[in-house]
Amino acid sequence: MLWGNPSLEWNASTGGVVFSSPAIATDGTVYVGSNDNKLYAFNPDGTKAWDTNVTIGNWVDSTPAIGSDGTVYVGSWDNKLYAINPDGSKLWDYNASSSITSSPAIGSDGRIYFGSKDYFFYALDSSGTKLWESFAGQPISASAAIGQDGTIYFGDENGTFHAVNPDGSEKWTYLVDDVPDTNKSILSSPALDLSGSIY
């Protein structure tokens, strides 16, 4: 079956370049980060709901993740992970030692998982308290994926793919093959199917 040509429903502008992917809340609000150091919220009709009044110290390339209570989690080049209320006010922030360009992943228990270019992978609870950190040995730009058993999967910039248990202990690692004249960095996010295969 053929569909008609797509048509533009609306577009919206930020004050900077957008590398972040949009995230859509259950109420239809669209959240996206921008390189003008802001997180934006747009209504389903494309009108701007707000650009956060939180002082973010650098670019927001990270794609936001939305918790079950509507809290928006997003990283920045200012080394912080932010928890933003649905009205644009800051709930808390957590300071890593280097930039956070990966997107947070949220577990079924509300834990927030993310990697940083400081070589560490972090787990926080919903109040922003660090539960554990895992040393990957290389910067982490890729976002994580969470398996049905709670295992967290992510890649680093040296071509190592990590599987970490929910308590932060290492489950296994896989080193990608060397290919001449290429960079082994894993920058994309993994995807999991229902049988547990990892892509």
Side-chain angles (χ1 to χ4, degrees):
M1 180 176 187
L2 296 176
W3 297 93
N5 292 328
S7 60
L8 179 67
E9 194 159 323
W10 54 262
N11 61 28
S13 296
T14 71
V17 176
V18 176
F19 289 110
S20 166
S21 298
I24 304 173
T26 54
D27 65 357
T29 302
V30 180
Y31 298 99
V32 68
S34 173
N35 283 6
D36 62 355
N37 305 0
K38 291 183 178 180
L39 175 70
Y40 286 78
F42 295 99
N43 296 309
D45 64 1
T47 57
K48 185 171 73 174
W50 48 259
D51 53 78
T52 183
N53 55 14
V54 175
T55 300
I56 298 177
N58 212 317
W59 295 356
V60 183
D61 289 352
S62 171
T63 296
I66 305 168
S68 59
D69 63 354
T71 302
V72 183
Y73 303 96
V74 70
S76 169
W77 280 85
D78 69 359
N79 306 350
K80 292 181 180 179
L81 181 84
Y82 291 86
I84 309 291
N85 291 308
D87 63 1
S89 61
K90 183 173 77 173
L91 185 60
W92 51 259
D93 62 52
Y94 178 84
N95 197 5
S97 299
S98 189
S99 54
I100 302 167
T101 58
S102 66
S103 304
I106 304 173
S108 58
D109 57 1
R111 290 184 177 188
I112 304 108
Y113 301 99
F114 65 96
S116 169
K117 289 184 181 288
D118 66 3
Y119 297 22
F120 281 93
F121 189 84
Y122 295 90
L124 310 180
D125 67 16
S126 58
S127 68
T129 301
K130 182 175 72 176
L131 300 172
W132 51 259
E133 62 184 24
S134 176
F135 182 65
Q138 294 292 329
I140 303 166
S141 296
S143 304
I146 305 172
Q148 292 183 344
D149 63 354
T151 302
I152 307 110
Y153 302 96
F154 64 93
D156 68 31
E157 292 189 15
N158 193 43
T160 302
F161 189 74
H162 301 261
V164 177
N165 293 307
D167 63 1
S169 61
E170 183 179 275
K171 191 170 188 177
W172 50 258
T173 59
Y174 175 80
L175 186 63
V176 300
D177 294 335
D178 278 315
V179 178
D181 302 320
T182 62
N183 184 332
K184 293 197 304 181
S185 294
I186 300 174
L187 302 178
S188 64
S189 305
L192 311 177
D193 67 19
L194 294 177
S195 67
S197 298
I198 306 155
Y199 303 90

